[in-house]
Amino acid sequence: MKIMEGKKGIIFGISNKRGIAYGIAKSLHDHGATLGFTYANDLMKPRVQKIATEMDIPFVEPCDVTNESEIESVFSKFGEEHGSIDFVIHAVAFANKEDLMGNFYETSLEGWNLALNVSAYSLVSVTRSAVKWMPNGGSIITLTYLGGERYVPNYNVMGVAKAALDSSVKYLAAELGEKNIRVNGISAGPIKTLAGKGISGFDTLLKINAKRAPMKRNVTLEEIGNSGLYLCSDLSSGVTGEIHHVDCGYHSIATSREDAALVGVDPVTQKRIS
Ligand code: IMJ
């Protein structure tokens, strides 16, 4: 028996086959889960529909996560078809392109509000709707990034949004624990997806991460997918309020072993300073 058999849930934020939401969807689907997908706008509709068709998933609904009534109708539709919901994957983020470069201190209030609304508040509204359809408990997972905990060049207002998101995970987990609804975040290491496309210095960042990470490589989509599977399944039944880093260990280091070797070494001549 597959571990997700009989479990059903909705995935917000499918974009294409390189995306993290797809990685998690694939893993859940391969292990027997029943899935529903949502798409944000007309541009995304055919992309999401294509993936749904390939995976033989009939439930594909529009949902702008800044629109509370759209969220509610997605849950009602899925809930009425399936009785209840066991899990939700929230893989949604957006900031204006100009706010993901240059100086953070120049972020406009509009840019700030947009990023925090779409990327952080949406977890709260999605959770509010999900709770009504989780009478037997459930698992809610959001996607976050280290840039919410520490400075990462260019991440800027998205870092602030992820900080709010990470904190929301803890508050939601505390309130919903007694309903047996678990809320966790997956902090994925950088990976080549649409979310990183066109970001200045992204390829360099991927290389730096691979070089410095304890495992000396970047994480794969399958690895993130399998971590999502674990957090959705009963294997993680005692886990909530957690930000789980799936980043080949990158978050845990201050200085890589290569850099550590330079300590006590002149950075220019590489000669040992006694
Ligand atoms: C995004 C920007 C700057 C640095 C970044 C990223 N690093 C990583 C990302 C280092 C790993 C990707 N990431 C974790 C994100 O959360 C991306 C969110 C995002 C991406 C875009 C690109 C296109 C756009 N708006 C966006 N909004 C959010 O117009």
Side-chain angles (χ1 to χ4, degrees), residues 42-273:
D42 289 344
L43 182 78
M44 299 307 286
K45 185 178 179 176
R47 302 184 185 188
V48 176
Q49 189 58 252
K50 183 169 178 269
I51 292 172
T53 305
E54 281 179 31
M55 294 172 90
D56 203 19
I57 289 163
F59 191 96
V60 182
E61 290 292 317
C63 186
D64 166 2
V65 292
T66 65
N67 186 329
E68 183 104 27
S69 64
E70 285 189 27
I71 296 174
E72 280 188 2
S73 48
V74 166
F75 277 96
S76 300
K77 191 151 192 278
F78 192 89
E80 277 157 19
E81 272 177 37
H82 298 284
S84 63
I85 298 175
D86 301 291
F87 61 86
V88 173
I89 308 295
H90 172 273
V92 183
F94 191 81
N96 286 325
K97 197 120 197 235
E98 68 261 28
D99 292 331
L100 297 173
M101 58 178 81
N103 295 316
F104 169 67
Y105 71 75
E106 292 181 82
T107 307
S108 66
L109 177 60
E110 292 72 25
W112 170 292
N113 284 343
L114 175 69
L116 273 95
N117 186 14
V118 177
S119 316
Y121 184 72
S122 64
L123 177 69
V124 182
S125 22
V126 164
T127 297
R128 192 163 48 246
S129 277
V131 167
K132 298 176 194 150
W133 293 97
M134 289 181 162
N136 313 314
S139 174
I140 298 172
I141 296 170
T142 189
L143 269 302
T144 186
Y145 178 57
L146 188 65
E149 302 171 62
R150 300 218 268 276
Y151 172 81
V152 174
N154 298 320
Y155 203 56
N156 298 8
V157 75
M158 270 310 303
V160 176
K162 292 302 193 189
L165 183 73
D166 293 359
S167 185
S168 301
V169 164
K170 293 160 199 164
Y171 281 85
L172 295 169
E175 291 177 355
L176 300 172
E178 62 194 3
K179 295 185 194 294
N180 198 31
I181 296 172
R182 302 184 290 107
V183 186
N184 294 290
I186 292 178
S187 183
I191 177 165
K192 270 196 177 172
T193 71
L194 206 55
K197 215 175 162 203
I199 304 296
S200 64
F202 196 78
D203 285 348
T204 310
L205 182 116
L206 278 170
K207 286 193 191 121
I208 293 170
N209 267 259
K211 199 169 176 310
R212 296 188 60 177
M215 296 179 78
K216 298 280 165 269
R217 63 174 176 83
N218 285 317
V219 75
T220 66
L221 200 54
E222 291 72 26
E223 288 169 328
I224 299 168
N226 286 336
S227 301
L229 173 64
Y230 158 75
L231 286 174
C232 272
S233 78
D234 293 337
L235 286 174
S236 61
S237 59
V239 180
T240 195
E242 177 81 333
I243 302 298
H244 183 53
H245 295 83
V246 185
D247 64 353
C248 295
Y250 187 87
H251 72 284
S252 70
I253 61 155
T255 305
S256 73
R257 290 172 66 227
E258 279 72 14
D259 289 349
L262 296 175
V263 175
V265 170
D266 184 298
V268 179
T269 65
Q270 301 277 309
K271 293 237 169 70
R272 192 158 280 278
I273 314 157

